[in-house]
Amino acid sequence: MIDKRTRIKIAIQKSGRLTDRSLDLLERCGLKYTRGRDQLIGFGENMLVDLLFVRDDDIPGLVRDDVCDLGIAGLNIIEEKRLEFQSQGSTDPYTEVCPLDYGHCRLAFGYPEEGAIQAIGDLEGSTIATSYPFILRDFLSQRNVSAQVVEFSGAVEIAPSLGRADVICDLVSTGTTMAANKIREGETILESQCILLKTPVAISPEKTEWVDRLLQRIGGVMQVRESKYIMMHAPKVALPDITALLPGAESPTVLPLEGFRDKVAIHVVCRENIFWETLEALKEVGASSILVLPVEKMLA
Ligand code: PRT
Ligand code: ZN
């Protein structure tokens, strides 16, 4: 019989921009799961981990209420809900464990090209449409700007042409939507990306082992994304120049090369991406037969 108390629950977006990347991250951590008949729960087959597929807006609340131990959502939603919870008297609703480096976007002002308002300095007395009223009000009050905030749950960019607002404050990634609506992107008030959230409640001893393992694996997956394993041949004397050229490189493994006294093979893990310029510079200091391989898994 399955003991539900020992199973970790992770809330992720059911269907949207974050779903594929969130599932990919968990799969890279080794999770295999089957999706239940109602599609709302994915049962982990090889780990004591279950997935809850929900709207992204519901994720912070599920983590705050300890319905889920972990959750993945954009900082835009996490911060908006944190301010909303705070207004209801609930402080520190969850712990932000780490950024996950996907779902990047920014919450920015958008000024209609033909409009009189073109900068934060002109916002006093204006009407601003947004889906993020708490973040926006917080920003305005910190700058002592008094403006009317109109909440739009979607299609914020059409608010000015409907005559509902002078300015908008909305998420932007490529900038195409604002441009298509003749809105000029202005100042950013929040840089966002996906964040891993953890319940504010202490994890029960039954779950600790798997939560710790999962967090370590997520750390490992994050670390290897840019990491490369580099192999090359080089004169022994070039070793200091070579390590200096490879930022983030761990101390290299130096191996003898059969038939050569002054030349060695160098193997090194580099935690940053390697560009062609670096390879060319390595060649200039004497390296040859340079191979750059992706790293699939790493456990520090
Ligand atoms: O159904 P559910 O509530 O779960 O989904 P949703 O429709 O609320 O969210 P979804 O899937 O659209 O976005 C989920 C998360 O992705 C957001 O909360 C952000 O953290 C992140 N994200 C990254 C974005 C964007 N980029 C983005 N560009 N969310 C929305 N947009 C929208 C933006 O609101 C605007 O309408 O895309 C438009 C602008 O895009 P550009 O490329 O034209 O600038
Ligand atoms: Zn949403």
Side-chain angles (χ1 to χ4, degrees), residues 60 73-82 94 96 195 197:
L75 183 62
N76 50 307
I77 294 284
I78 291 170
E79 190 57 11
E80 178 69 10
K81 294 286 175 187
R82 191 184 65 75
Y94 25 71
E96 290 177 23
I195 307 274
L197 289 183

Side-chain angles (χ1 to χ4, degrees), residues 12-19 54-59 73-78 102-107 131-132 153-157 170-180 185 192-194:
I12 65 168
Q13 193 186 22
K14 184 172 183 233
S15 155
R17 290 169 198 261
L18 310 177
T19 309
V54 291
R55 289 197 58 197
D56 66 346
D57 316 63
D58 297 333
I59 293 170
L75 183 62
N76 50 307
I77 294 284
I78 291 170
Y102 62 88
H104 288 274
C105 56
R106 51 198 180 274
L107 184 61
S131 308
Y132 296 88
S153 53
V156 180
E157 64 280 355
D170 196 15
L171 294 180
V172 185
S173 54
T174 61
T176 321
T177 307
M178 282 202 188
E185 183 182 344
S192 182
Q193 61 174 296
C194 264

